[in-house]
Amino acid sequence: MGKRLFIAEKPSVAKEFAKVLGINGAGKDGFIESEQGIVTWCVGHLVTMSYPEVYDEALKKWNLESLPFLPETFLYEVIPAVKKQFDIVSRLLNRDDVETIYVCTDSGREGEYIYRLVDSLAGVSKTKEKRRVWIDSQTEDEIKRGVREAKPLEAYDNLSDAAYLRAKEDYLMGINFSRALSVRYGGWLNNNTTEKKWTSISVGRVMSCVLGMVVKREWEIRDFKKTPFYRVIGDFSLEDKHIQAEWKVKEGSFFFDEKLEDFSLSPVLYKENGFRKKDDAVSLIKMLGLDKPDEKEEYSSDEKIEGVIQEVKKKTEKKNPPLLFNLAELQNLSSKLFKISPDETLQIVQDLYERKLVTYPRTDARVLSTAVAKEIGKNLNGLRDYELVKDNLKYISEAGSYKGLEKTRYVNDKKITDHYAIIPTGSGISGLGSMSELHQKMYEVIVRRFLQIFYPAAVYNKLNVRIECDSKSDDKECKESFFTSAKILVDEGFFAVGKYSFTQEKQKKKSSDDEENQDEEFVSENLGDVIELIKKGNKITLNKSSIKEGETTPPKRYNSGSIILAMENAGQLIEDEELRAQIKGSGIGTSATRAEILKKLFNIGYLKLNKKTQIITPAYKGELVYSVICYSMPMMLSPKMTASWEMGLSQVAEGTIGEKEYMVKLSDYIGKMVSQVKNENQMQKITRYHHMIEKYYSKK
């Protein structure tokens, strides 16, 4: 009977497979062997695509005449630094006694590509049986299940096609566009930077788009003009309690204009709750009868000014636990909590994965599969020895809230492609203490997000109040409205789980949605104390009024977390609703590549990262490169284009479109872009943009 050969992506993973499968032979040079089988490993990529000069020595020299470079057959070669391991793997794959090959590289597009390249260059016979092991964690049960249920390798041919096409796409765009722009504009770029030696203009399908997002945001901030506005705040009393409320224009107000559909177009008002000029805010206050300002600019009156509570709306609101983590969400939160970059987050969660503590990290899904949901008790039971959540586990057990999980919004097979969300496996807890403090914190974050889905929604009592007061001017009497609200947490629900042990700061119980609502609804801090007194028709006294000055704020710069989310949700950056719907679910890059793309942009000096704040800004050189791309091939900066290519790769993986169809479109696109650079010199426009950049930097 022939032997089984298991090939993993990394030595550490291979050793885990050997341990679980009982292949306990003495470790040899590059593999482990016993009577039960053989385990070997890659060390990441062993094979790469050949440079153009391998096709033709003349292509070593960069010139426009040799472009576009579109080979009919692509050449590959072993990476010199890992040739020794390739030779070992190749020899094992071709051994006569190896009958079945189990492909155990990472379960995803890149892992598929790593093995297929090795298989191709090693010339492995098609008569050998090849099976694909697809797992979501490295626990003993999952490894055994993956081997037991391994499908024939050809079942993943569409995924393999998508992997090859992704590599060809990045290779062809990078070589053709970087060479074309470098030959045309590289001299200008180097003359305007402090580079000691000539450097090329790096262009990439995803990289250039991300550069464009950051530079465009920076110019929005630079061009932003602050606009002051003035809001009128009234201080009311009801019996012995005080309530604050904010004035908003409403029909019946002196400032209401029935012809205006949008109050922001008013020459007097700023939106519906403020004024463009302070004098108009003062005029309103005086119309209310408050004509005595003090040193704090709070206006009062000797006379008692009464208002009436005209509207009272009470309702109960529920907030459900958030969906589980995918890699982008975890990278975003880690940027806020720990001030670490996306690639650092990925490395930490990858370490947790390899120690069996969490499931596969490179995932875009935020839900679980039905099969996993039915076995979720194993994950929960495995956390029994994790001291930080013992009380939470007790609650979940007593409430039985883990039952029927497959019927909730946290389980949806249709929203899972390669892998489900990142959750704790319940294994490996004993080894957590030997890991770094940051690893332990990251694990706690993942565990708490997981346990939240077994808790009920948080419950708020919401109160909205409108108060009406008389106002008088020389020519008419009007009614002015003041609004206030309260949102009182009456049942913390899942918030009980999310209190991290590693921070002493008050942890917010408001979601981002709640924070947005605060901009629309004025909140009186002590309104909750007088809920029982708030009734429609009740009289209320206006004691004084003040003016709260504010100003508009520019867009926020991306940080290392928000840029990852922006890359994942590229459709939100596209104005055309129909196009946005078409690419829904397709982002810029993938969960496996986004962090590395950002890292490259930092390393080549196109973007800068403030490690303390994780704020991302364009570097001077990056802005110059942006100007070159912007005027010579602007589509490379488009989220629509970038996400559309990613969607195409997903369709290839699904079998919706074929590899040949995709390559025709890709070749046509590259030919068109190169021809554009060849035939159009945009130096005049680029120089004009350069003057704008210079003007800004000279003021810094």
Side-chain angles (χ1 to χ4, degrees):
M1 183 178 176
K3 278 197 167 183
R4 298 184 302 170
L5 170 65
F6 299 85
I7 176 167
E9 192 166 317
K10 295 179 180 178
S12 59
V13 178
K15 289 171 185 174
E16 194 59 42
F17 266 81
K19 179 182 175 183
V20 170
L21 299 173
I23 301 173
N24 300 317
K28 300 185 180 181
D29 194 5
F31 67 101
I32 303 167
E33 183 173 5
S34 73
E35 290 183 3
Q36 284 71 35
I38 310 166
V39 178
T40 189
W41 53 86
C42 304
V43 279
H45 282 274
L46 298 179
V47 177
T48 188
M49 301 182 81
S50 298
Y51 283 106
E53 53 263 34
V54 176
Y55 294 78
D56 184 344
E57 184 64 29
L59 293 175
K60 192 168 187 178
K61 185 178 180 180
W62 292 23
N63 56 62
L64 291 176
E65 290 71 31
S66 63
L67 301 176
F69 171 67
L70 297 166
E72 290 186 12
T73 303
F74 287 82
L75 302 180
Y76 299 86
E77 60 192 54
V78 176
I79 299 170
V82 291
K83 185 178 184 304
K84 180 182 177 182
Q85 187 61 21
F86 173 83
D87 290 341
I88 292 168
V89 172
S90 177
R91 187 171 63 252
L92 291 169
L93 288 169
N94 287 296
R95 257 174 51 173
D96 291 339
D97 62 337
V98 169
E99 187 175 89
T100 307
I101 298 166
Y102 285 85
V103 181
C104 309
T105 48
D106 281 359
S107 305
R109 193 168 70 188
E110 201 64 17
E112 195 69 20
Y113 185 57
I114 285 173
Y115 173 75
R116 297 280 185 142
L117 286 176
V118 172
D119 187 285
S120 178
L121 251 69
V124 184
S125 171
K126 293 182 180 180
T127 60
K128 288 183 183 280
E129 184 180 3
K130 301 169 188 175
R131 305 193 74 81
R132 186 54 158 110
V133 177
W134 197 273
I135 59 175
D136 288 292
S137 72
Q138 290 187 26
T139 61
E140 181 176 342
D141 287 347
E142 182 68 355
I143 288 173
K144 287 180 177 178
R145 181 204 61 75
V147 173
R148 185 173 62 249
E149 298 177 5
K151 295 179 182 178
L153 187 61
E154 55 265 28
Y156 296 86
D157 281 351
N158 287 337
L159 181 65
S160 173
D161 288 344
Y164 270 94
L165 285 170
R166 194 279 307 161
K168 289 174 183 177
E169 181 176 88
D170 288 344
Y171 173 84
L172 291 176
M173 286 190 184
I175 284 176
N176 283 284
F177 298 164
S178 295
R179 289 191 175 201
L181 294 184
S182 296
V183 171
R184 175 70 84 179
Y185 304 108
W188 170 84
L189 177 67
N190 281 267
N191 288 336
N192 287 288
T193 61
T194 56
E195 301 288 346
K196 293 183 179 179
K197 59 181 181 178
W198 192 88
T199 57
S200 62
I201 295 176
S202 294
V203 184
R205 172 179 61 98
V206 179
M207 183 178 72
S208 297
C209 186
V210 175
L211 173 66
M213 289 163 57
V214 176
V215 174
K216 286 174 186 174
R217 176 65 58 86
E218 190 67 23
W219 277 90
E220 287 174 12
I221 293 169
R222 291 176 193 171
D223 292 341
F224 182 81
K225 300 291 188 293
K226 291 182 179 179
T227 303
F229 57 87
Y230 305 88
R231 296 156 62 196
V232 175
I233 310 300
D235 182 87
F236 296 85
S237 60
L238 189 61
E239 295 187 3
D240 59 342
K241 305 288 185 180
H242 282 265
I243 301 168
Q244 284 194 321
E246 176 186 39
W247 175 85
K248 286 185 184 179
V249 67
K250 189 174 175 64
E251 189 171 359
S253 166
F254 177 83
F255 296 93
F256 183 82
D257 185 345
E258 61 184 13
K259 296 177 183 177
L260 275 178
E261 294 181 3
D262 181 356
F263 291 110
S264 65
L265 300 176
S266 167
V268 177
L269 299 175
Y270 174 76
K271 296 185 178 179
E272 60 176 5
N273 62 333
F275 295 91
R276 297 181 185 277
K277 295 180 180 178
K278 188 174 182 180
D279 288 348
D280 291 317
V282 172
S283 296
L284 168 64
I285 291 172
K286 289 183 177 179
M287 287 182 207
L288 293 167
L290 302 167
D291 55 3
K292 290 193 170 184
D294 59 17
E295 65 278 1
K296 295 181 181 179
E297 290 196 62
E298 292 183 339
Y299 293 77
S300 59
S301 173
D302 292 334
E303 298 180 11
K304 184 179 180 181
I305 299 174
E306 283 193 341
V308 178
I309 298 174
Q310 285 288 7
E311 288 182 39
V312 180
K313 294 179 181 177
K314 296 180 182 180
K315 64 178 180 178
T316 299
E317 280 188 359
K318 290 185 177 182
K319 178 170 176 55
N320 291 316
L323 294 172
L324 296 160
F325 283 124
N326 62 9
L327 182 58
E329 290 288 337
L330 185 57
Q331 286 170 323
N332 181 48
L333 183 59
S334 297
S335 174
K336 296 175 184 176
L337 285 177
F338 309 127
K339 302 299 179 187
I340 59 174
S341 63
D343 61 300
E344 290 175 287
T345 299
L346 177 55
Q347 184 56 58
I348 290 169
V349 72
Q350 179 72 23
D351 292 343
L352 294 172
Y353 167 68
E354 291 182 11
R355 295 283 286 269
K356 308 180 189 179
L357 285 154
V358 302
T359 56
Y360 190 71
R362 292 173 173 84
T363 176
D364 291 320
R366 298 190 64 194
V367 293
L368 301 175
S369 66
T370 303
V372 169
K374 290 180 178 178
E375 300 290 327
I376 207 68
K378 293 179 181 178
N379 302 68
L380 292 167
N381 289 335
L383 293 171
R384 287 195 307 269
D385 295 329
Y386 188 45
E387 289 292 334
L388 296 179
V389 296
K390 278 196 169 182
D391 289 343
N392 304 119
L393 290 169
K394 182 180 178 183
Y395 165 84
I396 293 168
S397 176
E398 291 176 353
S401 53
Y402 58 91
K403 299 174 183 177
L405 179 65
E406 63 273 13
K407 298 176 183 178
T408 69
R409 75 188 190 112
Y410 305 101
V411 178
N412 190 334
D413 293 330
K414 294 179 181 178
K415 291 186 177 181
I416 298 170
T417 50
D418 294 343
H419 297 277
Y420 52 81
I422 303 170
I423 61 171
T425 62
S427 299
I429 301 293
S430 59
L432 184 62
S434 63
M435 303 187 81
S436 76
E437 183 180 354
L438 195 50
H439 282 77
Q440 294 180 46
K441 289 178 179 178
M442 187 76 73
Y443 182 70
E444 181 184 342
V445 168
I446 294 169
V447 169
R448 290 190 184 280
R449 174 63 68 92
F450 171 60
L451 296 184
Q452 283 179 338
I453 71 173
F454 302 102
Y455 271 68
V459 181
Y460 296 92
N461 279 341
K462 187 80 178 288
L463 178 68
N464 286 293
V465 179
R466 180 169 73 89
I467 301 167
E468 203 172 76
C469 299
D470 293 331
S471 69
K472 296 179 182 179
S473 66
D474 294 338
D475 55 348
K476 61 179 179 179
E477 293 186 1
C478 301
K479 299 286 186 182
E480 304 299 337
S481 293
F482 287 80
F483 294 80
T484 190
S485 65
K487 191 172 183 178
I488 303 152
L489 184 67
V490 293
D491 184 346
E492 66 176 351
F494 72 91
F495 286 130
V497 192
K499 298 169 183 174
Y500 305 127
S501 65
F502 51 80
T503 176
Q504 299 303 313
E505 297 175 11
K506 184 180 179 182
Q507 292 176 30
K508 291 184 178 180
K509 293 177 181 176
K510 296 174 183 175
S511 69
S512 58
D513 290 337
D514 296 329
E515 290 167 1
E516 288 173 9
N517 289 340
Q518 298 309 316
D519 293 335
E520 300 170 8
E521 299 171 355
F522 184 85
V523 178
S524 184
E525 292 183 5
N526 58 347
L527 187 58
D529 299 335
V530 291
I531 281 183
E532 299 306 318
L533 303 175
I534 302 287
K535 293 180 181 177
K536 183 178 179 179
N538 278 7
K539 296 285 178 64
I540 190 168
T541 303
L542 175 60
N543 303 306
K544 58 186 178 181
S545 187
S546 59
I547 297 171
K548 188 173 182 179
E549 185 175 346
E551 61 182 18
T552 55
T553 56
K556 289 183 179 180
R557 288 184 173 91
Y558 290 111
N559 60 41
S560 64
S562 64
I563 192 73
I564 290 287
L565 284 187
M567 291 167 74
E568 183 187 52
N569 300 299
Q572 295 179 9
L573 305 173
I574 299 169
E575 293 180 5
D576 188 294
E577 186 174 345
E578 188 174 335
L579 288 171
R580 191 165 63 241
Q582 284 177 16
I583 67 163
K584 188 176 182 181
S586 294
I588 299 173
T590 66
S591 57
T593 60
R594 290 177 189 127
E596 195 59 37
I597 289 160
L598 270 180
K599 190 176 180 180
K600 182 177 180 181
L601 283 164
F602 299 139
N603 289 341
I604 62 178
Y606 287 8
L607 297 180
K608 294 187 291 187
L609 175 69
N610 183 316
K611 291 188 177 181
K612 186 175 181 180
T613 63
Q614 292 296 304
I615 296 294
I616 298 172
T617 53
Y620 176 68
K621 181 180 177 182
E623 292 200 48
L624 295 186
V625 170
Y626 168 83
S627 70
V628 171
I629 301 172
C630 180
Y631 290 110
S632 50
M633 45 178 67
M635 284 300 290
M636 288 300 291
L637 302 170
S638 166
K640 178 185 74 174
M641 187 282 293
T642 308
S644 294
W645 285 118
E646 197 64 55
M647 182 177 67
L649 292 173
S650 297
Q651 290 172 333
V652 171
E654 293 164 1
T656 308
I657 62 174
E659 180 185 10
K660 289 182 180 179
E661 179 186 349
Y662 192 93
M663 273 305 297
V664 168
K665 290 181 180 179
L666 178 61
S667 298
D668 288 347
Y669 177 79
I670 290 171
K672 180 182 176 182
M673 291 293 103
V674 170
S675 177
Q676 199 168 290
V677 175
K678 280 182 172 183
N679 299 324
E680 300 174 13
N681 192 325
Q682 303 291 349
M683 199 69 253
Q684 189 175 355
K685 292 179 180 178
I686 292 169
T687 302
R688 190 159 58 241
Y689 191 94
H690 178 222
H691 290 327
M692 292 170 57
I693 300 172
E694 281 287 300
K695 189 176 180 180
Y696 170 76
Y697 278 93
S698 65
K699 292 179 180 178
K700 288 184 73 175

